[in-house]
Amino acid sequence: MNVRNSTHAHGIHVVRDGPREAPPVLLVHGSGASGASWGPVAGLLAGRHDVVRVDLPGCGQSPLAPSYAVPGQAARVAAVLDGLGLRQVVVAGHSSGGYVATSLLEQRPDLVRSLALVSTGPSLGALLPQPWLIRALSAPPLGPLLWRVRSDALIRKGISATTARPVAIPDDAVAELRNIGYRTFREILRENSAYVAERSVPARLAGLGRPVLVVFGAADPRWNPRSAHEYDVVPGVRVEMLPGVGHIPLFEAPEPTSELLLRFAAA
């Protein structure tokens, strides 16, 4: 039976879609976003999978946390999967959600069957000069001021600054972005950078022995699209480029992205 339910567990808001008897897929969002950012893709996956979306601490409908360090976030996600009784999960992370997904595999390989990374920057050296609106929103001196007066229109402009084509942005994704505070957002960014600065994502994955899919927009304005091939050091990795797509394939190309994930999960 195809069922949706929403709950809180271990300090994380969880939304679950699809038949409970189907193979499980966990979807992890990027910095400051929420599980709602996966909405267009989750709907396409739920016909064949038990789809679990989380709001990481301090994001969406999840409460604040004492720390936003990536390993701690991954430990909370592991506790959620334990509570749901799920094992051998296909885990997909968008952008920095891929760091939490990678840390989950590092800590709890028993939980992770395979790993899909969508627009996940492999190393700090792959970061491009950011669009001006993203810079303004995410750093002093303008960041704290703009944050207090953010409108839905400004939030939509911020999202669109990282895409390469016009996108339909779900209303719930915008609404949940309004929930995150500026200081929390800055701390999440700092901890995400610390995680990848300590060791690159490809280096972390190279010896973990799980199938890995990497999906990149060929016109990503945040991370150098050519950096997707830094993942080539991971044995058996599959790298897929989406032409004309920017940093958010979840909004820009939900059908091709979902098809890649479905094929990967079925392999």
Side-chain angles (χ1 to χ4, degrees):
M1 183 171 61
N2 197 324
V3 177
R4 162 173 282 199
N5 84 312
S6 173
T7 187
H8 281 79
H10 305 282
I12 287 183
H13 176 242
V14 182
V15 175
R16 198 171 179 188
D17 295 284
R20 299 296 183 264
E21 69 276 8
V25 173
L26 170 70
L27 304 177
V28 187
H29 64 80
S31 300
S34 71
S37 66
W38 278 99
V41 170
L44 295 168
L45 299 181
R48 300 190 215 172
H49 289 278
D50 177 7
V51 180
V52 179
R53 284 183 280 162
V54 294
D55 292 347
L56 295 173
C59 300
Q61 298 181 48
S62 291
L64 301 175
S67 167
Y68 299 98
V70 170
Q73 295 198 59
R76 287 174 181 261
V77 173
V80 168
L81 294 179
D82 283 336
L84 294 175
L86 297 177
R87 291 290 185 276
Q88 292 296 296
V89 180
V90 176
V91 181
H94 173 246
S95 193
S96 61
Y99 302 154
V100 176
T102 299
S103 185
L104 176 65
L105 175 55
E106 289 177 309
Q107 295 178 45
R108 294 290 305 276
D110 59 306
L111 296 178
V112 182
R113 177 184 164 212
S114 56
L115 188 66
L117 304 177
V118 181
S119 305
T120 297
S123 63
L124 289 182
L127 192 63
L128 295 171
Q130 298 301 286
W132 72 268
L133 183 54
I134 300 302
R135 295 198 308 272
L137 282 167
S138 59
L142 290 179
L145 301 175
L146 289 173
W147 213 262
R148 288 197 290 269
V149 298
R150 284 181 307 157
S151 63
D152 287 358
L154 184 59
I155 290 172
R156 290 179 184 277
K157 285 181 181 178
I159 294 171
S160 297
T162 67
T163 66
R165 58 175 70 177
V167 292
I169 303 170
D171 291 342
D172 58 348
V174 175
E176 293 192 357
L177 271 169
R178 292 185 64 83
N179 292 342
I180 187 170
Y182 175 75
R183 290 184 179 179
T184 301
F185 180 62
R186 288 279 295 171
E187 182 64 15
I188 289 171
L189 290 179
R190 189 185 72 80
E191 292 291 357
N192 288 336
S193 294
Y195 177 77
V196 73
E198 180 184 59
R199 196 176 181 209
S200 75
V201 183
R204 292 174 183 274
L205 293 175
L208 294 181
R210 289 295 186 276
V212 175
L213 169 68
V214 172
V215 179
F216 244 82
D220 191 325
R222 295 206 66 199
W223 297 95
N224 188 334
R226 292 190 297 274
S227 73
H229 289 286
E230 291 184 27
Y231 288 98
D232 289 344
V233 300
V234 181
V237 70
R238 181 175 160 195
V239 177
E240 296 282 352
M241 305 297 291
L242 296 173
V245 173
H247 186 63
I248 314 182
L250 317 183
F251 294 162
E252 298 176 76
E255 292 85 2
T257 302
S258 300
E259 188 57 38
L260 287 171
L261 292 173
L262 286 169
R263 291 206 303 265
F264 179 64

